[in-house]
Amino acid sequence: MSDDRMLLASLPTPYFSEPLHVGRPNLGSRDRLIERIDGALERLWFTNDGPLVREFEARVAEFAEVRNCVAVSNATTGIQVAAKALGIGPGDEVIVPSFTWVATAHALDWIGAVPVFCELDEETGTADVAHVERLIGPRTRAILDVHVFGRPARIDELSKLAEEHGLPLLFDAAHAFGCTYRSKPIGGFGTAEIFSFQATKFVNSFEGGAIVTDDDELADRLRAMRHQGLNAAHEITGSGTVARMHEISAAMGLTSLEAADVFTEVNRRNYRLYENYLDGLPGVRVRPQQVGEQSNCQYVVIEVNATRAGLRRDELQAVLQGHNVLARAYFSPGCHSCEPYRSAPARHTPDPLPKVEALTERVLSLPTGMAVGPAEVEGVCRIIRAAVDGSAVPKADHSTGGDASCSHRP
Ligand SMILES: *Cc1c(COP(=O)(O)O)cnc(C)c1O
């Protein structure tokens, strides 16, 4: 991009007076939240399998149509507890995608397991199943794929492969709460799936997560392991950690879950608006959701083709930032290019990952969620169009602050 174009695109004054974020928390009914927190304070029951946590687990299990839900303090710990419950320990290899948030890999590394990175499938952005198969070796103990940006992994093919090799199959479903695969909710696939309810996620519990599984025996082990190895009878059955969810988190989780339909509606509307406003712009495309499936649409991710758009993703990100739009380059770089994995390629990245390298240079996550209304989406798209056209960004004709009609609904 020439300096002239850069200058034009970033002048005269920022389009938005307040920053627009990716992953601003969605808040449901504040009154319901405070009521629930008050209840916990009245009961003097703050943690250890309290009534709000139990209710949250029941609701999540119902929502995801899965037999067991084990709420945890966060998804990273959830992945660790799930891996440990499946007997994965130091030196054991787990095949994971490189194109994901680094938590997927770090969760394994932190318990001494060895993430081995696979190539991505261009259509879904999830694991390339043929490459996963090539990576299976004598030390492979599990496959852990990610439903990246809420787009389901190649679940059928992976399930078949895992079964053929007698390997457990886990899914990091941090992005996919409320999404479906073949019309069935994400949650009941593989050996277990792990949701994140961290504040920036679609449904949140401030910090939190859940391991969901149809395997009752595994669920019992997970429950014990998240609670210092104690079983339901309060006997110490083995080693464990503290990965419990507490009542205040569950209070938020329940409140957030009640508003999930509203969040989805707003996200879908924003998604469609982004698609419409960016339609036909050379070199910029919104990564599509799976046709015929439900999606929470919590991420709007564009791909910037530098040759066709005339500017690189980083340049577009800089222009947006100049207008107070804090777009994020999720996920760039790929995990295999992050430490500590980058320094040990023979251990973690036996094969080159050209598709990961290519996609990580093109992706950019745009602001959405309850804090982003139609006027904001239009503004972000005007800035993007101007940056690509090399024209001046028009002045904003709206004030910022989100879509009031949406953000105050229960
Ligand atoms: C957010 C996220 C996590 C981690 O979730 P926490 O609840 O913060 O531990 C894991 N994987 C992916 C893909 C995520 O986006």
Side-chain angles (χ1 to χ4, degrees), residues 83-400:
K84 295 272 280 187
L86 293 168
I88 294 163
D92 290 342
E93 292 182 357
V94 180
I95 300 171
V96 296
S98 172
F99 187 68
T100 176
W101 177 232
V102 77
T104 316
H106 278 1
L108 296 166
D109 180 67
W110 201 251
I111 60 167
V114 180
V116 175
F117 296 109
C118 70
E119 184 56 292
L120 59 79
D121 168 90
E122 277 170 324
E123 190 189 331
T124 60
T126 65
D128 171 340
V129 181
H131 190 226
V132 172
E133 184 165 20
R134 284 203 299 283
L135 289 174
I136 295 174
R139 282 191 297 273
T140 307
R141 291 290 173 271
I143 299 166
L144 167 53
D145 199 5
V146 184
H147 307 298
V148 181
F149 305 137
R151 200 114 182 204
R154 299 280 187 195
I155 295 176
D156 286 351
E157 296 93 317
L158 279 173
S159 302
K160 189 163 161 277
L161 183 67
E163 199 176 325
E164 278 167 14
H165 291 266
L167 293 170
L169 174 62
L170 295 172
F171 290 107
D172 174 340
H175 299 176
F177 189 64
C179 301
T180 63
Y181 177 76
R182 301 204 192 288
S183 305
K184 182 174 142 50
I186 291 295
F189 297 102
T191 313
E193 303 205 52
I194 299 98
F195 293 123
S196 171
F197 300 115
Q198 199 261 340
T200 63
K201 304 302 203 285
F202 161 62
V203 164
N204 87 90
S205 62
F206 297 118
E207 295 277 4
I211 312 166
V212 287
T213 178
D214 283 324
D215 182 335
D216 298 349
E217 195 264 327
L218 174 61
D220 286 345
R221 253 181 299 150
L222 295 168
R223 284 183 191 287
M225 280 183 147
R226 78 167 168 186
H227 188 44
Q228 304 285 33
L230 266 67
N231 68 9
H234 233 69
E235 299 151 347
I236 298 164
T237 59
S239 181
T241 186
V242 175
R244 299 176 295 253
M245 178 178 276
H246 57 68
E247 291 290 277
I248 306 300
S249 264
M252 183 55 154
L254 283 163
T255 307
S256 187
L257 193 50
E258 277 169 356
D261 286 350
V262 181
F263 301 160
T264 305
E265 215 177 285
V266 168
N267 284 345
R268 289 205 184 125
R269 178 205 62 201
N270 287 349
Y271 198 93
R272 278 195 296 270
L273 287 173
Y274 272 117
E275 279 186 326
N276 290 343
Y277 287 131
L278 295 174
D279 188 36
L281 188 64
V284 175
R285 81 165 192 143
V286 179
R287 275 190 72 81
Q289 292 295 332
Q290 185 81 54
V291 177
E293 301 287 355
Q294 308 243 18
S295 173
N296 59 34
C297 291
Q298 74 172 315
Y299 298 98
V300 176
V301 180
I302 57 169
E303 271 181 58
V304 183
N305 177 322
T307 314
R308 296 188 54 220
L311 83 172
R312 288 181 292 112
R313 183 270 317 277
D314 292 350
E315 292 171 322
L316 179 58
Q317 188 180 13
V319 171
L320 285 164
Q321 189 169 345
H323 288 282
N324 261 329
V325 179
L326 308 182
R328 298 293 192 109
Y330 289 145
F331 298 104
S332 178
C335 294
H336 74 285
S337 303
C338 298
E339 293 299 354
Y341 318 110
R342 189 174 63 163
S343 293
R347 190 171 156 85
H348 298 286
T349 320
D351 295 332
L353 305 174
K355 289 176 188 168
V356 174
E357 303 286 356
L359 189 60
T360 50
E361 280 185 13
R362 295 200 301 262
V363 281
L364 192 61
S365 276
L366 301 177
T368 186
M370 297 300 283
V372 176
E376 281 75 31
V377 176
E378 186 183 357
V380 173
C381 293
R382 287 169 105 180
I383 299 164
I384 295 172
R385 283 195 162 272
V388 172
D389 293 346
S391 57
V393 174
K395 271 213 174 62
D397 47 14
H398 310 280
S399 62
T400 61

